[in-house]
Amino acid sequence: MSTELQRQEEGQLMAKERNYRRPYYLVNGGKENYEIRVFMPGVSKDRYKVSLHRNELYVEGHKDTAIEPAARWLHRETDTSDYKLHLQLNVDVDADGIVAKSEDGILTITLPVAQEARPRQIAIS
């Protein structure tokens, strides 16, 4: 096998590989819903992916970076890694009522607690 072909294959593998980092996030909970604010600067509104599988919430954000891969940096303060967050939910949520909105690099996800999981008061007769 020629060295040129081997270098090309290595380059293709590196191009497919992505670097992820865990974003900063806040969770506020109540009796009726939970609100999760995920901070992902540099991610545009159409580059988010939010999914719920059983009781696990997955959030991904891909940055739109126009940085040339062959550039040699002396110093760089911005990170080009994409974001990935995986949260295990400890309460049942209503999957049909989940709302996600993005504003200024902050993704806000509202998870309504399922009706059967909400606390209720029982009348005593």
Side-chain angles (χ1 to χ4, degrees):
M1 178 153 90
S2 79
T3 309
E4 185 176 314
L5 181 60
Q6 186 176 0
R7 286 183 191 157
Q8 184 180 8
E9 288 175 357
E10 289 173 0
Q12 288 173 352
L13 289 175
M14 289 173 52
K16 291 180 183 178
E17 190 176 300
R18 288 189 173 225
N19 292 328
Y20 289 97
R21 62 186 258 194
R22 186 180 182 130
Y24 178 74
Y25 67 96
L26 297 171
V27 179
N28 293 321
K31 294 179 182 178
E32 295 185 10
N33 61 32
Y34 284 86
E35 182 180 88
I36 302 171
R37 297 178 66 204
V38 186
F39 298 83
M40 294 188 269
V43 179
S44 62
K45 192 178 267 191
D46 59 336
R47 304 282 289 170
Y48 291 108
K49 181 180 176 187
V50 180
S51 60
L52 178 70
H53 181 66
R54 295 188 184 151
N55 280 346
E56 297 178 357
L57 181 70
Y58 297 93
V59 180
E60 285 187 34
H62 300 284
K63 287 186 177 182
D64 295 323
T65 55
I67 297 174
E68 188 172 323
R72 294 183 60 180
W73 299 95
L74 296 176
H75 179 74
R76 182 174 70 186
E77 292 185 10
T78 58
D79 190 8
T80 59
S81 301
D82 293 329
Y83 299 100
K84 187 182 276 191
L85 178 65
H86 172 239
L87 297 176
Q88 182 85 31
L89 305 177
N90 61 355
V91 67
D92 292 332
V93 297
D94 179 16
D96 296 330
I98 296 175
V99 177
K101 63 180 179 177
S102 171
E103 186 175 337
D104 297 330
I106 301 172
L107 179 67
T108 304
I109 305 168
T110 304
L111 303 167
V113 176
Q115 194 67 27
E116 56 272 1
R118 291 183 186 174
R120 61 180 174 212
Q121 192 165 8
I122 300 170
I124 301 173
S125 57

